[in-house]
Each structure stands twice: as structure tokens, then as C-alpha cells.
Amino acid sequence: MRGARSAKWVASAIVVALAATACGGGDDDNGDNGSDGAAAGNPDGIVRIDGGEPQNPLVPANTNEALGGLVIDNLFSKLLDFDDEGQIFMVAAESVEPNEDNTVWTVTLKEGWTFHDGTDVTAESYVNAWNWAANISNNQANSFWFADIAGYADVHPEEGDPTAEEMSGLQVVDERTFTIELTEAVTYYDYKLGYSVFTPLPESFYEDPEAFGESPVGNGPYSFVSWTHGESIELERYDEYAGEDAAQNGGIHIRAYDNPEAAYTDLQTGNLDIIRQVAPRDLPLYQQDLGEDRTVAQPYNGIQTIVPVWYNWEDTPPEVLQGISMAIDRETITQTVLNGSRTPADSFAPPGVFGYQEGASGDITTYDPERARQLVEENGGVPGDRIAIQYNADAAHQEWVEAVCNNIIDALDIECVGDPKVDFDTDLEAREANEVQSMYRGGWLADYPLNVNFLKELYASYAQTNYGRFDSPEVDELFAEGDRAGSLEETVAAYQEAEQVLWEQMPAIPLWYQNVNAGWGPNVDNVRFDSAGVPVLSEVTVSE
């Protein structure tokens, strides 16, 4: 099944992008960053990496942000994953096969997998976990990911209490096999199964889910050790791990920082091994400071946007938002403030995913301050003549937010300010509570490498990560038509049509595509980041 449903053009898109912009990274001619494939150095050495406080307890169904995801991705192994060319490969699953019309998917698990408490991972471990996650009574942030499964409406009704405890579409066939019946055909359902919400839970979870969230038990290459809130999370290698991506080090210490500048200082002084993203302040010199063999600059499947909240912008014509978009000089900001580390966006989806449309925005993302002012003035202006861009101050956003605001002020002669929140957790809480003043920073990285993931999960009216509360029946129906298409290619094409409507309605303003600009110290080797910009920590080796 490996790669059987992949889109080959994705490979060329990513390879070209990497060739054009990657530098350093310590890659040798084999592209394996100098590794001979075996563990080196101290196999029990600890990898220290920067991170932050997860928003929610550490349960896969309740984790939809990057800081919690960094932990979940190492505690839990997914059924399948994606290589750097966007092709599917199996991890915990032996196979994932659809029936003829893509309405029933059969999952067969690999043998010999156990949870960190020593109990077996079985088909029931998945089915029970998904039923629990989907149930509205359990209030999980990712429950909508199960909405395709038959019986979801019974456990997660739009109103009232559940009428069932289990989704009728999930059936255990035997210890290693289960089936997923969907309410309608979904051609790309195997891609969705590559997201961490579709992982299993042990029986011990159901005894006390709240306690589990503070001390989780997964099936991944690392087991949980401790969580000191606001300071660090520690994981250790799980020696009984049955997967092919077993840890090449003794464990991971994820340290919380108030800002990336402090993490960079710790990296330089030997108190940290890996920094995931260098701040704009340090971008001009980090490759010189650390050496090109200990840095990486590569594109990944991520995008930065600013998102108007519809509860304050609903009566504003989309032409005003198009004008604001045209007031932003993306090329200058990415080349100066961000030191060439980003690529101006011309689509809602990044170039590395199947369905990216070069130039999809037309002239809406082209810097044209005169046209910007004309569009805004002819369509009633910006509400209150003021924009506030909310962002989390514990990451490198202040500089570019100020630059974007300066563009808007110069072009539109209105007030524009940054609205910093102390950390990502606080930022997300304001979004969830509908307390954003005007706009928020909306970064997104791929859960799976299709344009669907950058459209439906953000702009469908029912998507739980649609914090802008954009609500367009026309867009919802176009998404539904894409899901009902007869093939993966037809689905992607339908979503491309939906994207054109998004440019007419402007649920967000795409700014640029993301790059990994990371560095590491002399105590670690074999550091790489995947196509979603996530560090592959199980491969890192430690010298001492």
C-alpha cells in the first residue's frame, strides 16, 4: 500500500523547493545527514529541545496545536505517515484498504505492538478510543475528525444528548483488524488516518481520563516520564517499541521558553541541543554562529495568515479584506524582517501539498497600495478604522506583525496595532472564547499533504479549528462535493474550485509559506525535519 494513493507530482514540487532554498543541514550525498543508519554516540543520551506549555491535557483527541503536538507525536505512533515526497507509508498499520467505492476502509494492524504499560495494542484499542473521542459528552477539540464515520451523529448530535455510546460505522473484525464505514465516500480517507487523533488508547485511560492527560500512556517510541507545567516535559525511550522508527537516543526533554531568543542563547551556551525555529533577531547570523552543518533552512508544508473574526467583520464586504491584503508588501517583509526565510503566499495551500495552485490568488496578494486604498474606501472602510492583530508573544511574531501593520497604516491611513498574548495557550483561549478584537495570527502546518487539509479544516463552518467563525453555506457545499468525488484527483480539483470562492469571500489573508530555520549544538547529530516542519527526534543521536 506504500505510496499507492499518493500524487507523484507532489514529489517534484517539494524536491524543487528544497533544492532552491535549503542550505546547510549537514546533508551528505546520501541525504541521510551523515548517519550510517545505526545509533551512534551515547544511546542513552538525552535530547534537549525547545517547546512550550501544551494548551490541553496530553490526549490525542484534545491536542490540535503544535506545542502539545510535539509531545503527542513522540508518545503515540500513527497508523500511517507521509514521507518527504508526500507518499503514504505504514507505521502501526500493516495495511489500510478501501472497498470499491471508498465507503468502507479496512485497517489491519501489525503484530507485536504494546502500550507503554505493557498491554497489547489491538483493534479494540483503536475503536474504543475513537468512540470515546467522538462522543460530545467528552468535549474533545478534535472530535469533528470522526464526523465521516457512520453513527457519528448519534454520539455527537448537533443538539441534545447522545443517543448511542458507539459509532455504528466502527466494527472490530478480529484482534488486529477493524473496519470503518463512512456515511459517504471519502477518496482520501487514508490520508486523514495519518493524523495523530486516529491513534489508540489503553484500557487504563478509561479508568481516569483526567489523570491520563497528566501522565499519558501511548504506543510510540517514547514513554512519558514527567510534566512540570510551564517548565518542561520529559520522555524516555520505550525499549519494547515494535515500530521501525525506534529511538536512537535515551529520551527527550522538552523545555518551555518565553521566547525563541532565550532558547537560542541556551543553545549557544550548551544548555539546549535543538532549537526548532530561530527568531527574526537571530536569522541573519545563526548559520554563521552555529555552522552550516548544524543548521537547516528548508520549506515545509505550512502557511502564515491573518484571520478576521467574523463576529466583528461579518458586515464588511470581502473587497475590504482584499484591499487589506494588497496593502501588505510580502516580498519586502519576507526578505528584510524575516531575512529571506519565508516565501510570499499566492494560495491558501502551500506548494508542497497535492492541490496547490500557483497564482490562485490572482492579484489579491500582490502589493498595490493604491488599489488597496481604493478597494477599502469604495466598500465602506475598515470597521472602526482600526485593526488589531493578535499573536502569541512566546514565539517570533512581533517583528513581522509590526511590519504588516506599518504597511497597512501607510497604505490605508488607519490604526493598526499588534495585540500580544503572553503565550500560545492564552492566544488559543482567546480565539476559542470569541474574544479576538479584530484579527489573529493563523499559522497552520499539514496534518496530511492535501489541499483539503488547508481548506476544510480551517474554513468549513463546522470545523473546530475555524476560530474566525467563517460561515459560508456555499463553501461548505463545495467542500462536500469534493468529498463525494469519485477519485482523489477529482476531490483535489473540487477543492481547488472551492479555493477560488474563498478568494472571493476572504476568510483569511494568506501571508507567506513557512520555512524551518533551525539549529542544533555539537552534542547531537542526525537532526532533520519532516515535510510538515516537525523534528524527527527518534533519529537524533547524542554524543555524550
Side-chain angles (χ1 to χ4, degrees):
M1 186 72 185
R2 180 185 172 99
R5 303 183 63 81
S6 65
K8 293 187 182 300
W9 73 269
V10 175
S12 60
I14 290 180
V15 169
V16 169
L18 290 174
T21 59
C23 57
D27 292 345
D28 62 13
D29 290 342
N30 295 324
D32 62 2
N33 202 15
S35 172
D36 60 1
N42 179 6
D44 295 324
I46 300 300
V47 179
R48 301 165 299 175
I49 187 169
D50 71 310
E53 180 73 357
Q55 181 192 19
N56 295 320
L58 295 169
V59 177
N62 214 23
T63 300
N64 60 3
E65 43 80 28
L67 298 177
L70 180 63
V71 185
I72 293 294
D73 286 346
N74 287 285
L75 285 176
F76 291 85
S77 282
K78 298 177 283 190
L79 287 168
L80 55 87
D81 211 336
F82 312 97
D83 64 20
D84 287 345
E85 297 178 346
Q87 298 194 20
I88 289 173
F89 66 89
M90 297 296 133
V91 182
E94 184 174 281
S95 64
V96 176
E97 299 286 353
N99 64 351
E100 289 186 359
D101 63 3
N102 298 305
T103 56
V104 179
W105 294 73
T106 300
V107 177
T108 302
L109 304 173
K110 291 179 179 176
E111 292 185 273
W113 282 62
T114 57
F115 289 106
H116 302 149
D117 61 6
T119 58
D120 291 339
V121 178
T122 66
E124 197 169 61
S125 307
Y126 287 86
V127 169
N128 291 346
W130 299 4
N131 278 322
W132 187 91
N135 195 305
I136 194 171
S137 302
N138 297 319
N139 193 31
Q140 296 297 284
N142 288 326
S143 59
F144 77 100
W145 280 82
F146 301 97
D148 301 309
I149 299 174
Y152 176 79
D154 297 326
V155 301
H156 200 115
E158 293 186 8
E159 296 181 359
D161 297 326
T163 57
E165 290 294 318
E166 299 176 348
M167 291 181 281
S168 59
L170 293 178
Q171 297 294 326
V172 173
V173 177
D174 58 38
E175 191 167 278
R176 292 197 299 120
T177 309
F178 64 99
T179 58
I180 310 164
E181 181 183 356
L182 308 179
T183 54
E184 294 184 283
V186 178
T187 60
Y188 58 93
Y189 201 71
D190 48 352
Y191 281 84
K192 297 188 72 169
L193 293 178
Y195 185 41
S196 57
V197 69
F198 294 102
T199 47
L201 291 171
E203 279 301 307
S204 59
F205 166 81
Y206 306 98
E207 298 170 3
D208 191 343
E210 184 175 349
F212 183 97
E214 293 293 311
S215 183
V217 175
N219 67 328
Y222 294 96
S223 59
F224 179 83
V225 176
S226 66
W227 181 0
T228 304
H229 286 274
E231 295 183 10
S232 66
I233 294 175
E234 298 186 5
L235 314 179
E236 65 181 2
R237 183 184 61 233
Y238 178 49
D239 287 328
E240 304 304 317
Y241 181 62
E244 296 179 1
D245 57 333
Q248 302 299 301
N249 51 67
I252 307 168
H253 289 183
I254 302 171
R255 297 182 173 180
Y257 285 90
D258 293 333
N259 57 74
E261 291 85 355
Y264 188 71
T265 298
D266 266 2
L267 179 69
Q268 289 183 298
T269 56
N271 294 315
L272 189 72
D273 293 316
I274 301 173
I275 182 170
R276 296 171 300 128
Q277 188 68 42
V278 174
R281 184 200 73 176
D282 300 308
L283 282 173
L285 293 175
Y286 84 105
Q287 290 178 318
Q288 179 179 323
D289 289 346
L290 304 175
E292 290 199 354
D293 62 339
R294 297 201 173 279
T295 62
V296 63
Q298 70 180 48
Y300 69 88
N301 293 331
I303 190 169
Q304 192 73 261
T305 63
I306 50 176
V307 183
V309 288
W310 238 243
Y311 42 86
N312 289 328
W313 287 80
E314 184 177 20
D315 297 328
T316 305
E319 288 82 0
V320 172
L321 290 159
Q322 292 173 348
I324 295 169
S325 176
M326 297 173 77
I328 300 169
D329 186 355
R330 295 166 177 77
E331 186 67 32
T332 297
I333 294 174
T334 55
Q335 289 301 315
T336 57
V337 177
L338 297 171
N339 202 48
S341 64
R342 309 288 192 277
T343 303
D346 60 357
S347 169
F348 280 95
V353 304
F354 188 14
Y356 161 72
Q357 301 180 88
E358 183 177 2
S361 63
D363 60 1
I364 295 174
T365 55
T366 301
Y367 179 53
D368 187 344
E370 291 185 10
R371 177 62 175 153
R373 190 177 186 112
Q374 180 184 14
L375 280 171
V376 171
E377 290 182 348
E378 288 180 350
N379 289 280
V382 171
D385 285 335
R386 184 178 189 273
I387 292 173
I389 302 175
Q390 178 177 304
Y391 66 94
N392 52 305
D394 58 345
H397 303 303
Q398 179 181 348
E399 291 89 346
W400 69 255
V401 168
E402 290 176 350
V404 166
C405 268
N406 287 336
N407 279 170
I408 292 173
I409 293 168
D410 290 344
L412 305 180
D413 194 25
I414 63 171
E415 184 181 2
C416 182
V417 297
D419 179 18
K421 301 302 178 188
V422 63
D423 54 29
F424 194 32
D425 193 0
T426 307
D427 176 29
L428 289 173
E429 287 177 356
R431 299 187 204 179
E432 291 178 345
N434 295 342
E435 294 176 347
V436 176
Q437 296 182 45
S438 176
M439 295 185 176
Y440 66 84
R441 175 200 73 82
W444 188 258
L445 57 87
D447 301 313
Y448 54 92
L450 298 181
N451 61 348
V452 180
N453 184 233
F454 286 82
L455 303 178
K456 182 178 178 181
E457 262 73 71
L458 292 172
Y459 308 122
S461 63
Y462 47 84
Q464 285 172 290
T465 42
N466 175 8
Y467 298 121
R469 312 308 178 201
F470 175 70
D471 187 350
S472 169
E474 180 183 5
V475 169
D476 285 350
E477 178 54 32
L478 289 170
F479 289 166
E481 289 177 9
D483 289 347
R484 292 193 294 264
S487 69
L488 177 63
E489 289 72 18
E490 290 172 351
T491 292
V492 168
Y495 272 86
Q496 288 176 326
E497 292 182 20
E499 183 185 353
Q500 290 306 311
V501 177
L502 292 181
W503 285 111
E504 296 171 4
Q505 301 189 3
M506 296 298 291
I509 298 175
L511 296 177
W512 41 75
Y513 305 124
Q514 302 284 55
N515 276 12
V516 174
N517 297 94
W520 54 94
N523 195 43
V524 295
D525 286 298
N526 300 307
V527 180
R528 74 175 180 92
F529 290 74
D530 65 18
S531 60
V534 176
V536 185
L537 296 177
S538 62
E539 296 181 3
V540 176
T541 55
V542 183
S543 299
E544 298 179 355

